[in-house]
Amino acid sequence: MRTVRTGAHAPARWRAFACGLAFLGICMFAASSSALAPHLSALFSGELTPDPEAKLPAPTRFSYRGTHTTVVSGIEAPLRTRLEATVPAELGDVLAFYRTQLGKLGWQETHDGAVIAADRVQLAFASPLGPALLELQRKDGSTAVELVQKNADTATKANVMPEPGQAKVVFSNIAETDAVLTIDARTVTRARGTNAVALDLPPGKYPYEVTVPGHPAQANTLVIAAGDTWELTVGRDGDAWSPLHLY
């Protein structure tokens, strides 16, 4: 059963204004958690120091931070962990922080599709658990951080690991009636109560449509990269949920 829970914490002076939780249900679920805020002295200090409580490397100084994990029932280690943060520091300082901290953890830059510009950075890594990606962007006087780490062992155990150079789409149906997915000139029908089905696709942009008896057809577009796995789900009420980035 998938549950999506979102939440974030800001530094102490904004903490009273933050917080949200939402719950949904299916086979795989994403959970979000956030670290507690640092003391104000750390928020305004000039040095970026690592927060020992963060699930992925993050500085103690931030104005927003949230951690989101995608997990599979029965497997403790997450498929995918994503850190989002806004750091009130220059992009170059944040980049130096991450290169130092990730290097200490054994992450190796792969230089595939690397972008290093004055206002944006994108770096791919090979981490001990699997592929990882760091994206930094200068925004409103701060640096926005997105750090993603995938767990290849968990993806293999859950049977959602894409073939090399390919992507995978998992179609799940927990509605009370049959559901039909049309994507890449293929039509896939899942009866209620049946297991999810996985499709291997080349990376690209895919319009798709989900149809359920008694409901209007629901169309959307999915952009998938090589090595990614996405889940498309029909909920109990017969509505198609937003795509979930599993791996």
Side-chain angles (χ1 to χ4, degrees):
M1 180 166 279
R2 179 175 73 173
T3 303
V4 178
R5 180 183 305 158
T6 59
H9 287 263
R13 55 179 180 161
W14 296 305
R15 212 179 285 164
F17 301 99
C19 213
L21 292 175
F23 296 91
L24 304 169
I26 203 188
C27 298
M28 307 194 177
F29 68 90
S32 304
S33 62
S34 302
L36 292 174
H39 296 295
L40 288 178
S41 59
L43 178 65
F44 293 108
S45 66
E47 182 182 1
L48 292 178
T49 56
D51 186 344
E53 297 184 359
K55 291 184 178 181
L56 287 177
T60 53
R61 187 185 350 156
F62 61 89
S63 55
Y64 166 83
R65 192 170 82 207
T67 304
H68 315 273
T69 58
T70 305
V71 304
V72 181
S73 179
I75 303 178
E76 183 176 354
L79 278 166
R80 184 175 183 267
T81 303
R82 176 168 60 95
L83 168 80
E84 291 182 304
T86 301
V87 181
E90 296 296 328
L91 185 146
D93 294 335
V94 179
L95 175 60
F97 168 86
Y98 274 100
R99 278 181 157 162
T100 298
Q101 298 304 318
L102 296 178
K104 290 179 181 179
L105 296 176
W107 294 36
Q108 301 291 327
E109 287 187 38
T110 64
H111 305 292
D112 295 337
V115 175
I116 301 180
D119 60 351
R120 177 173 175 261
V121 168
Q122 178 176 297
L123 294 176
F125 291 84
S127 81
L129 293 181
L133 184 68
L134 171 68
E135 293 185 283
L136 307 176
Q137 186 169 349
R138 194 68 181 155
K139 186 176 181 181
D140 299 329
S142 294
T143 299
V145 178
E146 182 170 359
L147 179 62
V148 175
Q149 183 184 34
K150 298 179 179 182
N151 190 321
D153 183 60
T154 299
T156 300
K157 290 178 180 177
N159 200 28
V160 296
M161 172 66 79
E163 295 294 329
Q166 296 288 297
K168 191 180 289 289
V169 172
V170 177
F171 181 44
S172 303
N173 175 29
I174 60 171
E176 295 301 316
T177 60
D178 293 355
V180 179
L181 169 67
T182 302
I183 187 171
D184 191 36
R186 287 189 260 181
T187 299
V188 180
T189 301
R190 302 309 295 159
R192 63 176 181 172
T194 55
N195 293 331
V197 63
L199 306 175
D200 292 306
L201 296 170
K205 185 176 182 179
Y206 292 92
Y208 69 89
E209 184 176 83
V210 175
T211 55
V212 177
H215 294 263
Q218 299 173 77
N220 204 340
T221 299
L222 186 64
V223 179
I224 52 179
D228 282 356
T229 299
W230 288 80
E231 184 183 34
L232 303 176
T233 299
V234 176
R236 294 193 184 280
D237 58 1
D239 289 333
W241 294 355
S242 297
L244 174 65
H245 199 165
L246 289 179
Y247 177 79

